[in-house]
Amino acid sequence: MPLLAIVYFSISGTTESLAHAVARGADGIAHVALCRITGDDIVSGRFQNESLLETIDRASAVAFGSPTYMGGAAAQFKAFADASSDRWTQQRWANKFAAGFTAGALAGGDQLHTLTYFSILAAQHGMLWCGLDIPGGEDPSGRNRLGSQLGLATHLVGGLLPQSDVSTAEYLGQRLAATASRNG
């Protein structure tokens, strides 16, 4: 079975809930490593967690997750991405499959920019992007509610994470793990 590394930062627990949903979707298809970026990983503004980076080195697939703050990924996630440049120069993550998920404060809260950032990060590393193949607004279960084909974008409704978005996260994990399994 391939290894799926789910690399995420979460402050309020919403992105962590999505990370766990991605993991549930991959269950039985891939081994899963939940790789939470914490404040302790950032030293003088620089991400320093070699163990987390080595987990990604071993993975066949990676799911990137961060809340959307001010139109982009959280600074803690960005510190991780910046620290990955050592791997970039060696293309150590080339040909791994990648996907992304994010949550914002509003339905139109610029989550697409965060997903675009993740896809560009993956492209720089030579990774292969795995988006959603659920047409927005067309799924009978309500998955991909906000219609983002690039990855999962969500926001809280009445202070709660919609079940349809949790289901979308599970599907994204299943799709990413199955893609890595078929092609690994």
Side-chain angles (χ1 to χ4, degrees):
M1 265 197 287
L3 174 63
L4 167 58
I6 303 170
V7 182
Y8 68 98
F9 172 74
S10 183
I11 189 116
S12 69
T14 301
T15 306
E16 184 166 40
S17 293
L18 293 171
H20 285 274
V22 170
R24 283 192 305 276
D27 188 39
I29 304 168
H31 297 288
V32 174
L34 287 164
C35 302
R36 183 175 183 165
I37 298 165
T38 68
D40 292 341
D41 293 330
I42 315 297
V43 179
S44 297
R46 182 81 172 160
F47 178 85
Q48 296 182 2
N49 184 333
E50 186 62 24
S51 175
L52 189 149
L53 294 168
E54 288 171 356
T55 298
I56 298 170
D57 291 346
R58 293 188 309 273
S60 300
V62 182
F64 297 125
S66 172
T68 295
Y69 289 145
M70 302 306 294
Q76 294 86 342
F77 186 92
K78 182 73 167 73
F80 152 77
D82 290 351
S84 75
S85 63
D86 293 337
R87 265 99 175 141
W88 168 76
T89 60
Q90 302 167 20
Q91 288 294 281
R92 289 171 70 174
W93 298 349
N95 298 316
K96 296 178 186 294
F97 294 93
F101 58 96
T102 188
L106 302 168
D110 296 322
Q111 293 93 324
L112 180 60
H113 187 262
T114 301
L115 292 173
T116 302
Y117 174 78
F118 293 157
S119 69
I120 292 170
L121 173 65
Q124 288 178 331
H125 278 284
M127 301 170 91
L128 307 167
W129 192 256
C130 179
L132 287 172
D133 62 348
I134 303 169
E138 299 294 325
D139 185 68
S141 303
R143 295 175 304 173
N144 197 12
R145 177 176 63 91
L146 298 184
S148 175
Q149 300 308 130
L150 196 55
L152 171 61
T154 185
H155 71 100
L156 299 179
V157 177
L160 301 172
L161 189 58
Q163 182 56 46
S164 61
D165 294 348
V166 172
S167 296
T168 306
E170 291 169 349
Y171 179 78
L172 182 63
Q174 175 187 5
R175 179 169 161 77
L176 182 58
T179 300
S181 182
R182 280 192 306 271
N183 296 287

